[in-house]
Amino acid sequence: MRRFGIQARQILGVSIPELRALAKRLGRDHALAESLWQAGIHESRILASLVDEPAKVTRSQMDRWIKDLENWADCDAVCGNLFDRTPHAVDKATEWINRKEEFQKRAGFVLMATLAVHDKTASDEVFLQFLPLLKAGAADERNFVRKAVNWALRQIGKRNAALSQAATRMACEIHAMGTPAARWIANDALREFERRAGKINVVKVSKTRPDG
């Protein structure tokens, strides 16, 4: 866990497969999830994200929980296991990206990425509105923020051909920003889009100059 940058005040060392198996035995329980989260242990919070009931999750609960985030793993778990299944996901994604704290800001971009993966019924317009916000987020040089911006951009581009074209154009705009974080985000996304070029036509961008 240290090797992958997962640090927290209390860690037991329970694996994710073990937590998923336990969550399956426990079933959904909103009150239990709240107790598990308040316990403050890294694994208990991952488990909370697996057993909570999305329909019962409130905006205030989401705001409380992200203030407790200690690492990228609990951030990604609570967003990808729970928050992206709530009716508040889109609003919170656009709200949290304005937070100053690294993992709280990351949570907004992770929600965009996991919504792109899990919400099969969302319209293209939902994700098109995210793209300019990803460009703004690309100015943040912090590692866990830029990686989340990149993740969201790639996942949006994978949804369908129209969003692939829109995400590719946005990657070109991000690349033109010229900062190290922006170039990394754009180049990594474009490489993935190009690997899928057999299925989806993408626009190539010169990687030799920021304004290429």
Side-chain angles (χ1 to χ4, degrees):
M1 293 174 75
R2 284 194 298 268
R3 186 169 66 250
F4 287 103
I6 300 173
Q7 300 181 16
R9 287 186 293 273
Q10 296 186 70
I11 299 178
L12 302 178
V14 182
S15 72
I16 295 298
E18 288 178 294
L19 291 173
R20 290 192 180 279
L22 179 56
K24 186 176 291 188
R25 294 199 299 273
L26 290 170
R28 294 286 182 176
D29 189 324
H30 180 64
L32 174 60
E34 188 66 58
S35 295
L36 286 166
W37 188 269
Q38 295 304 324
I41 301 168
H42 174 71
E43 289 85 354
S44 71
R45 287 179 171 167
I46 301 291
L47 186 58
S49 75
L50 292 165
V51 303
D52 206 346
E53 300 172 71
K56 294 184 179 180
V57 173
T58 64
R59 294 171 183 268
S60 62
Q61 176 188 338
M62 295 170 74
D63 288 334
R64 282 190 293 105
W65 282 24
I66 69 156
K67 290 179 181 178
D68 294 330
L69 297 177
E70 297 181 291
N71 53 67
W72 65 264
D74 59 16
C75 173
D76 295 6
V78 75
C79 290
N81 295 334
L82 179 62
F83 287 168
D84 65 352
R85 292 163 170 81
T86 71
H88 320 301
V90 172
D91 289 344
K92 287 302 175 185
T94 57
E95 176 186 328
W96 290 342
I97 60 170
N98 296 310
R99 297 287 181 96
K100 293 181 180 180
E101 296 80 2
E102 186 172 10
F103 293 118
Q104 293 183 40
K105 187 169 186 175
R106 177 185 172 88
F109 293 117
V110 171
L111 264 184
M112 295 179 187
T114 56
L115 278 166
V117 174
H118 295 147
D119 192 342
K120 305 301 183 185
T121 64
S123 68
D124 286 0
E125 284 68 28
V126 170
F127 301 100
L128 289 171
Q129 72 172 316
F130 288 160
L131 292 177
L133 304 179
L134 296 179
K135 182 178 179 180
D140 195 315
E141 298 283 339
R142 290 177 293 181
N143 186 49
F144 292 114
V145 175
R146 70 185 179 102
K147 285 187 174 182
V149 171
N150 169 263
W151 184 14
L153 182 62
R154 289 185 292 107
Q155 294 304 326
I156 290 171
K158 290 179 185 179
R159 279 183 70 90
N160 57 48
L163 286 175
S164 177
Q165 293 290 345
T168 300
R169 288 193 295 270
M170 183 53 65
C172 295
E173 291 186 27
I174 290 172
H175 191 275
M177 292 167 64
T179 65
R183 288 197 299 269
W184 179 86
I185 289 165
N187 288 341
D188 186 71
L190 287 165
R191 279 193 296 270
E192 181 154 345
F193 297 154
E194 288 166 2
R195 284 195 294 269
R196 295 165 53 84
K199 297 181 179 179
I200 301 173
N201 292 323
V202 298
V203 178
K204 292 186 178 182
V205 60
S206 169
K207 302 181 180 63
T208 58
R209 291 173 55 86
D211 57 348

